[in-house]
Amino acid sequence: MSLGRPRRSCLAVPGSSVKMLEKAQGLPADQVFLDLEDAVAPLAKPSARKNIVAALNEGGWGSKTRVVRVNDLTTPWTYTDVIEIVEGAGANLDCIMLPKVQSASHVEWLDLTLTQLEKTLGLPIGGIGIEAQIENAAGLVNVDAIAAASPRVETIIFGPADFMASLNMKSLVVGALNPDYPGDPFHYILMRILMAARMHDKQAIDGPYLQIKDVDGFREVAKRSAALGFDGKWVLHPGQLDAANEVYSPAQQDYDHAELILDAYDYFTSEVGGKLGAVMLGDEMIDEASRKMALVIAAKGRAAGMTRTSSFTPPSA
């Protein structure tokens, strides 16, 4: 699987707040998404578009992935969102996030619109990616087709609040477990999104945890999707950033061990190492399957900028 852009932490920034747009540029988020949807009141959307265009063109975003979340296709704002943002700042934009995606046709519409804009503006064709947010039952049922709808699709995102409402879940707490349910009520949804994402070589991103001052709660929820294999999680407050970056990076010990497995396997399968397919590394047997697992952990560590603290020493003859 290709890891693509780092997205351990995906920071939400309301497009209606110039102050927050400026502050976000200096925060340690892997990705920022400048929001035109739920965080912006209907009457403020036209001015929010202008704020976002200015922030993309004038701001210092460093290595962050720059994303704009437009409104969903059931609203009257989506077309204008896409046109104004791409015409105004397409050269400084990495992806468009489309919320409440219910079918492949939603992604296909955005793909075609972006292609027309890129051709007209002289931008690289296919250069602007798509992030598809799954927020209701229809979106989940069609998630495989959504993931496959365009080569522009980079991520599949879980949107828990709208999803809970669409299922008539009896809870107002978004992102946390329900004490009345003996398990994780979101496990199936997360796994379904993850399967579709991995089938089509996309990233899977977990949604927000709304209790923004409860960093310990955020960390516990994040650990669950990270354990499944998710690549990152939405962050609604700067106080959640460090926890997200930590949880979706490998532990130092795991990163070191993964790199050690790769070095050892590379040696033992070589001519000088004896052309062996399965060998012992300490008390652990490693083989081709071990190498594939280690590649995932090593790639996550490298993407997070980690430095290994151990090295492989070939056995003496």
Side-chain angles (χ1 to χ4, degrees):
M1 183 204 72
S2 171
L3 283 179
R5 315 175 201 260
R7 284 184 169 96
R8 297 169 301 170
S9 50
C10 302
L11 178 64
V13 187
S16 53
S17 172
V18 173
K19 179 181 177 181
M20 290 185 182
L21 289 168
E22 291 174 350
K23 181 179 180 181
Q25 295 166 32
L27 294 174
D30 285 346
Q31 170 175 304
V32 292
F33 71 89
L34 315 182
D35 197 16
L36 285 169
E37 198 212 12
D38 288 348
V40 179
L43 292 178
K45 292 186 191 293
S47 61
R49 294 184 192 116
K50 293 179 173 58
N51 294 341
I52 288 174
V53 167
L56 288 171
N57 289 334
E58 301 165 12
W61 298 100
S63 61
K64 296 177 179 64
T65 298
R66 302 154 300 177
V67 179
V68 173
R69 179 167 74 159
V70 298
N71 287 277
D72 79 88
L73 279 166
T74 67
T75 73
W77 304 299
T78 320
Y79 172 79
T80 309
D81 288 344
V82 175
I83 299 299
E84 287 197 16
I85 295 301
V86 178
E87 283 189 345
N92 296 308
L93 175 68
D94 295 309
C95 297
I96 292 285
M97 184 188 300
L98 188 62
K100 299 177 179 64
V101 177
Q102 299 186 54
S103 72
S105 63
H106 289 191
V107 175
E108 290 164 354
W109 173 86
L110 182 54
D111 180 293
L112 289 168
T113 304
L114 289 173
T115 298
Q116 290 297 307
L117 283 163
E118 288 164 344
K119 288 179 177 178
T120 302
L121 300 169
L123 297 171
I125 306 302
I128 299 172
I130 294 174
E131 299 191 336
Q133 194 174 6
I134 305 300
E135 300 187 73
N136 59 26
L140 193 67
V141 168
N142 295 320
V143 68
D144 286 321
I146 289 167
S150 165
R152 293 182 189 268
V153 175
E154 297 187 16
T155 70
I156 307 296
I157 304 165
F158 175 41
D162 280 282
F163 209 110
M164 292 166 67
S166 81
L167 296 185
N168 293 337
M169 277 192 175
K170 195 178 71 171
S171 175
L172 291 173
V173 180
V174 177
L177 295 183
N178 187 333
D180 295 329
Y181 184 81
D184 184 346
F186 303 111
H187 179 77
Y188 169 75
I189 301 168
L190 290 171
M191 283 300 294
R192 189 70 192 83
I193 287 172
L194 184 64
M195 292 300 103
R198 295 298 186 251
M199 178 180 177
H200 299 286
D201 202 23
K202 315 297 182 184
Q203 290 182 325
I205 305 298
D206 195 7
Y209 181 78
L210 268 58
Q211 312 302 312
I212 60 174
K213 294 185 178 180
D214 181 10
V215 178
D216 289 338
F218 174 91
R219 188 185 303 273
E220 288 307 307
V221 171
K223 283 180 178 178
R224 292 204 303 273
S225 63
L228 296 178
F230 271 63
D231 299 287
K233 185 173 178 65
W234 275 18
V235 171
L236 300 183
H237 187 273
Q240 299 174 331
L241 279 168
D242 287 345
N245 288 337
E246 174 193 330
V247 169
Y248 292 96
S249 298
Q252 184 68 49
Q253 181 179 358
D254 292 338
Y255 172 63
D256 286 340
H257 188 56
E259 294 282 19
L260 192 64
I261 289 173
L262 293 176
D263 285 351
Y265 190 72
D266 185 57
Y267 171 79
F268 284 115
T269 55
S270 70
E271 186 79 32
V272 67
K275 298 183 288 187
L276 303 173
V279 296
M280 295 301 294
L281 180 62
D283 295 330
E284 176 186 13
M285 189 198 81
I286 62 171
D287 58 11
E288 175 61 16
S290 308
R291 185 190 70 84
K292 291 175 181 174
M293 294 169 65
L295 273 174
V296 172
I297 304 302
K300 286 180 180 286
R302 293 168 191 170
M306 299 177 71
T307 303
R308 61 189 299 181
T309 61
S310 64
S311 59
F312 172 70
T313 302
S316 55

